[in-house]
Amino acid sequence: MSKYSLADKVALVTGGAQGIGLATARHLYERGASVVLVDLDPEATILAAEELGARAIGIGADVTDIGAMQDVVARAVDAFGRVDIVMANAGIAPAPATVRAMDPALFERVLDVNALGVYRTVHAALPQVVENKGQVIVVASVYAFVNGVMLAPYAMSKAAVEQFGRALRGELAQHGASASVAYFGFVDTAMVQEGFASSVAQRFEATFPSFLRRRLTAAQAGKAVADGIEDRAPRIIAPRRWTVYSVLRGLLNPLLDRRTERNATIQGILRDADKRQITLSSRDGISR
Ligand SMILES: NC(=O)c1ccc[n+]([C@@H]2O[C@H](COP(=O)([O-])OP(=O)(O)OC[C@H]3O[C@@H](n4cnc5c(N)ncnc54)[C@H](O)[C@@H]3O)[C@@H](O)[C@H]2O)c1
């Protein structure tokens, strides 16, 4: 199959002011695409776009607001005439906590941003993507299939995103458009740096095998997405070693679920986490 050229395409990237979104946008830009960055903080987003160059604009919007996302798509079409690619990447991760200890407002906010925010972003852009035989990229995570203990709403949202992307790919084929699901292991961004800052999280991270703990750079994750778009890949998995786990998930998950339930170290960490109430903070996108 011939490559999908990024030259002269228009890509809209949510969560684009930093991290994986900005790093992907940089690769897309360097390969000839115009880029629309969307993120919560308008100034930071405009600044990030200015750093990319003249074929980039930044717009402040919240992906949980369907009207705002429709407006973003309209502004992208005004600026560049079309939208070919939408990358629904904006996401939040709560500080690790058990379901019992997590503020329900935080639990729901994670699902609202990570699952419904992805839907709202994609739905607003679909008319353009279909018209231009373009591509949807939804950002899931290996948490779509590993046990989500202490990160239940995050894992729920990523499993939902995986299903959304798979269904969309089937539905878009009739239009000559496509959808890809991106799965990352750990990527060294603010999300992971802040998420693993607590001692409970660090003790939990230490229970993972070391080869799974190694972090990709945001630039490596962004390159994997840009390569995947050029290939119209159904799945973009980075680092590649997670492909083995994904393929074997039906066999490995029951074993690892049982380990979570029976391993004394993990159960000790969960006992401590159960006592630590985690509440919604302004960083999660809504004020108290
Ligand atoms: N970092 C990792 O290890 C990792 C692993 C797997 C998947 N992911 C996923 O990759 C995506 C990007 O994460 P990252 O690591 O670059 O994190 P990040 O925190 O650096 O960037 C996320 C961006 O999303 C924006 N955002 C959050 N809520 C928003 C909202 N309601 N509307 C608009 N923008 C919003 C944030 O402001 C931020 O700029 C997320 O979906 C995340 O779940 C990350």
Side-chain angles (χ1 to χ4, degrees), residues 2-20:
S2 64
K3 291 253 182 198
Y4 178 85
S5 166
L6 285 162
D8 302 323
K9 298 295 192 309
V10 179
L12 192 157
V13 181
T14 66
Q18 63 179 41
I20 295 168

Side-chain angles (χ1 to χ4, degrees), residues 15 18 20 39 61-63 89 139-140 154 158 184-185 187 189 192:
Q18 63 179 41
I20 295 168
D39 210 305
D62 185 329
V63 296
N89 163 77
V139 177
Y154 186 79
K158 295 305 183 181
F184 305 114
V187 185
T189 64
V192 161

Side-chain angles (χ1 to χ4, degrees), residues 68-104:
M69 295 316 292
Q70 285 161 347
D71 187 49
V72 160
V73 172
R75 287 176 64 185
V77 173
D78 270 355
F80 297 117
R82 55 199 281 147
V83 173
D84 300 276
I85 298 160
V86 61
M87 178 178 178
N89 163 77
I92 54 174
T98 61
V99 173
R100 205 168 82 91
M102 193 180 293
D103 181 348

Side-chain angles (χ1 to χ4, degrees), residues 98-167:
T98 61
V99 173
R100 205 168 82 91
M102 193 180 293
D103 181 348
L106 175 55
F107 196 105
E108 292 192 12
R109 177 70 185 171
V110 174
L111 286 165
D112 202 23
V113 175
N114 293 10
L116 291 175
V118 165
Y119 161 72
R120 291 173 186 130
T121 301
V122 172
H123 192 263
L126 267 186
Q128 280 293 310
V129 171
V130 166
E131 187 179 328
N132 298 315
K133 301 187 187 323
Q135 299 197 44
V136 173
I137 316 301
V138 293
V139 177
S141 161
V142 296
Y143 270 102
F145 49 83
V146 304
N147 191 305
V149 73
M150 286 208 296
L151 282 173
Y154 186 79
M156 270 173 82
S157 70
K158 295 305 183 181
V161 165
E162 175 184 54
Q163 286 294 343
F164 181 58
R166 290 176 56 203

